[in-house]
């Protein structure tokens, strides 16, 4: 259990284009998902908290208009990098937490991570 | 503000040489301390959640322990496939579910 998928795993795009990354919880429903960014040899940096049915909460310094987040269902959140530039190149990772009501063996406080998406902007 | 410091930054072991990784933390109202393993180019893989001082959890060659100020990840008789970056994170009572991560410990196990 607690499988989170991301698509695509790798994307290369030209500067100025927009890129959409999908994050899905495959075997549980997630009212909250998180988006992180990771630079080489550095730890994870939280970008935003995605809440199903409401607006995302962005961390300080993260541009809301640059990184659009949509959490349209209990199993899907999307991150769109708009007008991407080379400095947006990074490893983007999402995570999801099972809701309290899921019960079972899944930790309700635990975030389960997707495999990540490598974005390269030329 | 929640803070997490991991040490050492890097650790090289011979196969079979047991050791420990440290995670020191300050948090307002601990709601959980988490250990993850991350392989290059992949997302973090969940290992353990600890909630209160004195708690211990084990999985194969790994054992995680927790005190009021730090957590240890003990690795017994490691194998080369245990080589990875190990991340520690905390969730505080005022964090609204957010995790604060340490910088990680890069573990290399030589055969």
């Amino acid at each position: 259990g607690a499988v989170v998928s991301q698509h695509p795993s790798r994307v290369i795009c030209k500067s100025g284009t927009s890129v959409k990354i999908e994050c899905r919880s495959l075997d549980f429903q997630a009212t909250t998902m998180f988006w992180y960014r990771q630079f080489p040899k550095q730890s994870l940096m939280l970008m935003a908290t995605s809440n199903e049915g409401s607006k995302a909460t962005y961390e300080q310094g993260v541009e809301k208009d640059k990184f659009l987040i949509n959490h349209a269902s209990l199993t899907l959140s999307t991150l769109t990098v708009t007008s991407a530039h080379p400095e947006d190149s990074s490893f983007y990772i999402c995570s999801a937490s099972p809701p309290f009501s899921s019960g079972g063996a899944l930790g309700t406080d635990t975030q389960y991570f997707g495999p990540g998406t490598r974005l390269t902007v030329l | 503000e929640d803070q997490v410091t991991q040490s050492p930054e890097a650790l090289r072991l011979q196969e079979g040489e047991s050791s420990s990784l440290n995670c020191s933390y300050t948090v307002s109202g601990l709601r959980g301390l988490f250990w993850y393993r991350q392989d290059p180019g992949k997302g973090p893989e969940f290992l353990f959640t600890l909630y209160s001082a004195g708690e211990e959890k084990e999985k194969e060659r790994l054992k995680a322990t927790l005190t009021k100020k730090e957590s240890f990840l003990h690795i017994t008789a490691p194998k080369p496939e245990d080589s990875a970056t190990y991340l520690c994170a905390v969730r505080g009572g005022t964090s609204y579910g957010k995790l604060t991560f340490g910088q990680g410990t890069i573990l290399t196990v030589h055969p």
Side-chain angles (χ1 to χ4, degrees), chain A residues 21-92:
Chain A
I21 302 170
E22 293 186 348
C23 176
R24 293 181 185 273
S25 56
L26 299 185
D27 52 3
F28 65 96
Q29 294 183 328
T31 54
T32 303
M33 291 184 173
F34 302 86
W35 286 95
Y36 295 82
R37 185 172 180 176
Q38 188 175 34
F39 292 103
K41 298 188 178 181
Q42 293 189 23
S43 194
L44 282 73
M45 181 189 78
L46 180 65
M47 299 174 63
T49 302
S50 171
N51 301 295
E52 188 267 337
S54 63
K55 292 183 178 180
T57 304
Y58 291 82
E59 294 300 299
Q60 191 172 8
V62 178
E63 299 177 57
K64 300 179 182 181
D65 295 333
K66 176 76 170 175
F67 300 99
L68 300 179
I69 292 173
N70 183 284
H71 195 152
S73 76
L74 289 174
T75 59
L76 173 64
S77 176
T78 60
L79 168 68
T80 301
V81 183
T82 62
S83 187
H85 291 284
E87 57 265 30
D88 298 322
S89 298
S90 189
F91 191 52
Y92 292 87

Side-chain angles (χ1 to χ4, degrees), chain B residues 64-80:
Chain B
T65 62
L66 181 66
T67 72
K68 290 185 178 180
K69 294 183 178 180
E70 57 191 351
S71 176
F72 291 94
L73 184 65
H74 306 278
I75 302 176
T76 302
K79 298 181 178 181

Side-chain angles (χ1 to χ4, degrees), chain A residues 32 34 36 38 41-44 46 49 59 91 93 97 107-116 118, chain B residues 6 31-32 34 36 38 41-46 49 51 87 91 96-99 101-104 106:
Chain A
T32 303
F34 302 86
Y36 295 82
Q38 188 175 34
K41 298 188 178 181
Q42 293 189 23
S43 194
L44 282 73
L46 180 65
T49 302
E59 294 300 299
F91 191 52
I93 314 173
S97 292
T108 56
D109 291 322
T110 299
Q111 289 184 27
Y112 296 92
F113 286 83
R118 172 73 60 190
Chain B
Q6 291 187 246
R31 289 288 303 274
F34 306 86
Y36 292 88
Q38 186 176 26
K42 297 186 178 181
E45 174 190 346
F46 170 70
T49 306
Y51 290 103
L87 297 169
R91 179 185 172 190
Y96 303 101
K98 298 188 294 185
L99 296 181
F101 278 89
Q103 289 299 307
I106 302 171

